[in-house]
């Protein structure tokens, strides 16, 4: 069908007249605009209009969440300090792989992005309380961290300093700013360590303080015999301590005995107690009998330089006070028990301790335990894992005597652990505990994150098919409860993040190792830190 033609055709002269008319009208409009006064910007009028427009929306709670949740996510992202992750870091071009096919990490990132899209769509159709919104926001932040980790393969993430512990970076210990003293013993001057309070962890803390005392008093430290105390040589590396200091500063009881045998007997010239209350040194008749059974004689009476030094309320002491109060020209002195001693706490507790040495720490698990821990981690855990010290045996009464209590119901403990594990994005939890199976079983069943159970890993019984513990077996250390306790500590000290038991010296010794080894994380904490148990039993 042909298009009908116009009833009248326009001539060229008519078209030129129309164009001229349009130009004349345009000029008139411009002149009129120039003569009008410029518009003013009335802020109050704009605020009033916006306010009226906002209230006309009549938004529901769900719509508010939908609108403001993305804004909150953006705000959290922009306000997060990422300088610790990316400062002075140059991202290698190979990270982006522009000319390669999708790797497994890329596919996982795509899967997580689709999961995030599904979660956000679900939030769109739900009515959330404030607490639910916080939880949802936390899950999305955690998911975002997983996506970042997936986009970077382990080796690339490690090269950027992003691997291990998700957002839980390691603590900068600033070792160059340590305050230290030299340990230079006088010839033939010895300090006999007395550590009797508590169990092995208490004794190790006591022994570390004895090293500080020996350095202040310029004496060689004598490690007690296993017939009087624990078998330290099976647990810590005594020879390594001397290597770290570059001189002989610590001797075993056997070495000390041989060096003093020329005097026909081993004699403690002066026995000094650090505390005078509730009883001197924790030394009773049984311990005196053990010392005598070793062939050791004690001169004079057991005394204390301070009359009112109470274990329940130890006073702050300076290094100068210790030097002045325990100074002696006697060849062999014994000091005990210094576990509760509060001497230059900030100095003693700094990373690496108060003594000048070339190692990370002076009191370290012996080499066999250290290697066994590494083999266990390689076999069962991998690099990124959370370690949990769950103290339960005898802890109910102990914690309830404190204010606030540190004994938490299993469901509450599970919630605290899950929150931290989700933040770390760790696949497994290493469990060091004395809890009954009924408690750990319930705890395990409650640890579900994003629909998946995060499994507990404990050291299994010996199996000849497994070789991770072969070193202990070959050297006759298998089955030693103190060796196994130190092995537990070592595995916990190497974790990405550690959850400890408040009030436990076992936990404190792990924290000491993490601090000295440089494995401490900003996310390390006590179980349910800053929370009180949601139920506390009455006292007897």
């Amino acid at each position: 069908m042909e298009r009908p033609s116009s009833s009248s055709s326009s001539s060229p002269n008519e078209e030129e007249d129309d164009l001229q008319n349009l130009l004349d009208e345009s000029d008139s409009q411009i002149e009129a605009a120039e003569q009008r006064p410029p518009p003013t910007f009335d802020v109050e009028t704009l605020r009033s209009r916006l306010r009226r427009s906002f209230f006309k929306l009549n938004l529901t709670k769900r719509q508010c969440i939908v609108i403001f949740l993305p804004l909150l996510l953006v705000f959290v992202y922009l306000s997060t300090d990422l300088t610790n992750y990316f400062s002075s870091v140059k991202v290698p071009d190979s990270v982006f792989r522009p000319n390669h096919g999708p790797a497994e990490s890329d596919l996982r990132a795509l899967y997580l992005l689709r999961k995030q899209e599904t979660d956000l769509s679900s939030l769109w159709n739900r009515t959330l309380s404030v607490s639910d919104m916080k939880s949802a926001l936390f899950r999305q932040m955690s998911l975002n961290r997983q996506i970042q980790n997936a986009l970077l393969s382990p080796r690339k993430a490690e090269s950027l300093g992003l691997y291990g512990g998700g957002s839980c970076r390691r603590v900068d210990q600033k070792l160059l700013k340590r305050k230290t003293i030299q340990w230079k013993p006088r010839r033939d001057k010895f300090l006999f360590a007395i550590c009797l309070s508590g169990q092995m962890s208490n004794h190790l803390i006591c022994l570390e303080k004895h090293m500080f005392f020996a350095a202040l008093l310029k004496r060689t430290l004598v490690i007690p015999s296993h017939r009087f105390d624990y078998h330290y040589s099976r647990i810590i590396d005594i020879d390594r301590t001397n290597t770290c200091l570059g001189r002989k500063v610590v001797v075993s009881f056997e070495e000390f005995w041989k060096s003093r045998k020329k005097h026909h007997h081993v004699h403690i010239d002066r026995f000094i107690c650090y505390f005078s209350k509730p009883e001197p040194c924790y030394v009773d008749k049984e311990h005196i009998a053990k010392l005598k059974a070793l062939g050791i004689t004690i001169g004079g009476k057991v005394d204390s330089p301070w009359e009112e030094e109470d274990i329940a309320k130890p006073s702050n002491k300076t290094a100068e006070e210790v030097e002045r109060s325990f100074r002696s020209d006697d060849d062999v002195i014994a000091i005990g028990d210094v576990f509760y001693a509060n001497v230059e706490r900030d100095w003693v507790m700094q990373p690496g301790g108060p003594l000048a040495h070339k190692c990370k720490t002076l009191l370290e698990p012996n080499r066999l335990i250290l290697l066994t821990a590494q083999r266990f981690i390689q076999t069962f855990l991998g690099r990124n894992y959370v370690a949990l010290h769950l103290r339960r045996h005898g802890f109910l009464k102990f914690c309830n005597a404190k204010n606030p209590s540190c004994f938490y119901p299993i469901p509450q403990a599970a919630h605290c652990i899950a929150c931290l594990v989700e933040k770390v994005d760790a696949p497994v939890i290493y469990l060091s505990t004395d809890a009954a199976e009924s408690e750990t079983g319930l705890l395990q069943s409650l640890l579900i994150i994003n629909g998946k159970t995060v499994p507990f890993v404990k050291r299994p019984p010996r199996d000849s098919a497994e070789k991770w513990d072969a070193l202990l077996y070959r050297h006759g250390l298998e089955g030693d409860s103190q060796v196994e306790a130190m092995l537990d500590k070592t595995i916990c000290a190497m974790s990405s993040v550690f959850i400890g038991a408040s009030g436990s010296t076992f936990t404190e010794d792990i924290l000491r190792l993490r601090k000295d080894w440089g494995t401490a994380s900003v996310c390390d904490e006590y179980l349910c830190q800053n929370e009180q148990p949601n139920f506390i039993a009455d006292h007897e």
Side-chain angles (χ1 to χ4, degrees):
M1 173 182 254
E2 294 183 0
R3 182 176 179 180
S5 60
S6 176
S7 58
S8 63
S9 61
S10 300
S11 65
N13 292 334
E14 292 175 342
E15 292 178 357
E16 290 177 2
D17 292 340
D18 292 340
L19 178 59
Q20 185 60 44
N21 291 334
L22 289 173
L23 292 173
D24 292 341
E25 290 177 7
S26 177
D27 291 340
S28 300
Q29 292 173 0
I30 292 173
E31 290 175 0
E34 290 175 347
Q35 294 173 0
R36 287 195 299 269
T40 59
F41 184 74
D42 189 345
V43 176
E44 292 302 323
T45 302
L46 178 60
R47 286 178 177 171
S48 178
R49 289 178 180 177
L50 288 174
R51 193 180 296 112
R52 289 196 302 269
S53 300
F54 179 80
F55 285 110
K56 284 180 181 179
L57 289 176
N58 193 22
L59 296 176
T60 65
K61 184 185 294 185
R62 183 177 66 188
Q63 290 169 330
C64 288
I65 292 172
V66 169
I67 291 173
F68 292 112
L69 181 59
L71 294 177
L72 184 58
L73 284 168
V74 172
F75 172 77
V76 171
Y77 175 77
L78 293 177
S79 62
T80 301
D81 181 12
L82 298 177
T83 56
N84 290 310
Y85 295 100
F86 299 106
S87 59
S88 70
V89 175
K90 183 177 180 181
V91 180
D93 296 335
S94 58
V95 169
F96 300 102
R97 295 191 305 275
N99 299 320
H100 292 72
E104 181 181 350
S105 59
D106 299 325
L107 295 175
R108 172 157 177 77
L110 180 60
Y111 163 77
L112 292 172
L113 283 169
R114 288 176 177 172
K115 184 179 186 304
Q116 189 170 51
E117 180 184 15
T118 301
D119 291 348
L120 291 173
S121 298
S122 175
L123 290 175
W124 182 278
N125 297 313
R126 291 170 57 191
T127 301
L128 301 176
S129 65
V130 175
S131 60
D132 289 339
M133 184 176 71
K134 288 182 179 179
S135 178
L137 176 61
F138 184 82
R139 284 196 300 272
Q140 293 307 314
M141 292 171 65
S142 175
L143 192 58
N144 183 268
R145 173 62 60 182
Q146 294 180 50
I147 294 170
Q148 293 181 48
N149 289 341
L151 286 172
L152 293 172
S153 64
R155 290 184 181 179
K156 290 171 183 173
E158 182 179 356
S159 68
L160 297 177
L162 301 177
Y163 187 88
S167 60
C168 297
R169 66 187 183 280
R170 288 184 176 177
V171 176
D172 181 9
Q173 301 289 4
K174 299 179 181 179
L175 297 177
L176 296 178
K177 297 181 179 180
R178 289 175 60 221
K179 178 183 178 182
T180 60
I181 61 170
Q182 297 289 332
W183 187 357
K184 295 181 178 180
R186 294 173 289 168
R187 183 179 178 84
D188 292 331
K189 300 297 180 182
F190 297 93
L191 170 60
F192 198 94
I194 301 293
C195 297
L196 302 176
S197 61
Q199 299 184 18
M200 171 59 77
S201 296
N202 298 48
H203 288 224
L204 290 176
I205 294 172
C206 172
L207 204 59
E208 186 179 31
K209 292 182 179 181
H210 266 298
M211 290 182 174
F212 186 36
F213 276 54
L216 291 174
L217 301 174
K218 296 180 173 57
R219 291 178 174 273
T220 299
L221 184 66
V222 180
I223 304 296
S225 167
H226 66 275
R227 289 182 288 169
F228 179 74
D229 201 341
Y230 288 108
H231 208 317
Y232 289 105
S233 62
R234 297 168 68 92
I235 301 162
I236 59 175
D237 195 336
I238 298 174
D239 291 334
R240 178 185 169 280
T241 302
N242 293 320
T243 302
C244 291
L245 283 134
R247 62 184 68 90
K248 195 79 167 179
V249 294
V250 178
V251 295
S252 66
F253 177 79
E254 288 72 24
E255 291 178 276
F256 170 70
W257 176 271
K258 291 178 182 177
S259 69
R260 306 299 295 176
K261 199 68 181 293
K262 60 185 177 181
H263 299 286
H264 306 294
H265 67 281
V266 178
H267 183 71
I268 295 177
D269 300 302
R270 186 182 177 196
F271 202 128
I272 314 170
C273 291
Y274 187 90
F275 290 97
S276 54
K277 295 180 179 180
E279 61 183 46
C281 305
Y282 286 110
V283 178
D284 52 19
K285 293 181 179 179
E286 180 183 354
H287 287 104
I288 295 294
K290 286 183 177 181
L291 285 173
K292 291 181 177 179
L294 293 173
I296 299 175
T297 58
I298 301 174
K301 65 176 183 177
V302 176
D303 63 351
S304 173
W306 298 302
E307 294 181 0
E308 296 297 326
E309 191 64 16
D310 193 339
I311 285 176
K313 296 179 180 179
S315 59
N316 297 325
K317 301 293 183 183
T318 65
E320 291 76 16
E321 286 178 294
V322 169
E323 289 183 70
R324 183 172 60 252
S325 301
F326 293 93
R327 185 184 294 120
S328 173
D329 290 328
D330 294 315
D331 289 342
V332 183
I333 67 172
I335 300 177
D337 181 322
V338 298
F339 169 72
Y340 294 101
N342 190 5
V343 179
E344 305 283 6
R345 179 174 175 81
D346 292 340
W347 196 359
V348 171
M349 295 301 293
Q350 65 184 337
L355 306 179
H357 58 85
K358 59 184 178 181
C359 300
K360 290 183 177 181
T361 184
L362 289 179
L363 274 184
E364 186 172 272
N366 74 36
R367 185 67 177 165
L368 296 176
I369 294 176
L370 197 59
L371 288 173
T372 301
Q374 292 174 352
R375 292 181 177 185
F376 179 88
I377 293 169
Q378 183 176 359
T379 303
F380 295 100
L381 301 173
R383 184 164 186 170
N384 186 27
Y385 65 96
V386 170
L388 169 64
H389 174 221
L390 182 67
R391 173 74 186 272
R392 303 295 279 186
H393 181 69
F395 229 43
L396 176 58
K397 186 175 181 179
F398 169 81
C399 283
N400 282 358
K402 300 172 65 177
N403 187 21
S405 174
C406 53
F407 193 88
Y408 297 89
I410 290 295
Q412 184 179 359
H415 175 74
C416 296
I417 296 166
C419 288
L420 185 55
V421 171
E422 186 174 20
K423 184 177 182 181
V424 179
D425 190 26
V428 293
I429 301 172
Y430 179 71
L431 179 62
S432 173
T433 186
D434 58 3
E437 187 64 33
S438 57
E439 292 181 87
T440 58
L442 175 59
L443 183 60
Q444 176 69 92
S445 68
L446 295 173
L447 280 177
I448 300 175
I449 301 175
N450 295 326
K452 295 182 179 179
T453 299
V454 182
F456 282 146
V457 177
K458 295 192 288 186
R459 287 184 296 103
R462 171 160 176 77
D463 187 334
S464 58
E466 297 175 356
K467 300 301 180 184
W468 64 269
D469 59 348
L471 288 174
L472 301 183
Y473 177 75
R474 290 205 304 265
H475 289 84
L477 299 177
E478 183 197 15
D480 186 315
S481 61
Q482 300 307 324
V483 170
E484 291 178 350
M486 183 56 81
L487 178 58
D488 258 8
K489 287 182 183 179
T490 308
I491 296 171
C492 289
M494 293 180 174
S495 63
S496 300
V497 171
F498 173 63
I499 304 173
S502 176
S504 166
T505 53
F506 189 94
T507 280
E508 295 306 316
D509 204 33
I510 293 170
L511 293 174
R512 174 188 66 83
L513 285 173
R514 290 178 66 78
K515 172 192 61 174
D516 291 353
W517 282 347
T519 58
S521 163
V522 295
C523 295
D524 288 354
E525 62 180 41
Y526 297 116
L527 178 63
C528 294
Q529 187 167 306
N530 301 322
E531 289 188 26
Q532 293 192 20
N534 58 32
F535 186 89
I536 300 176
D538 293 335
H539 294 292
E540 294 179 5

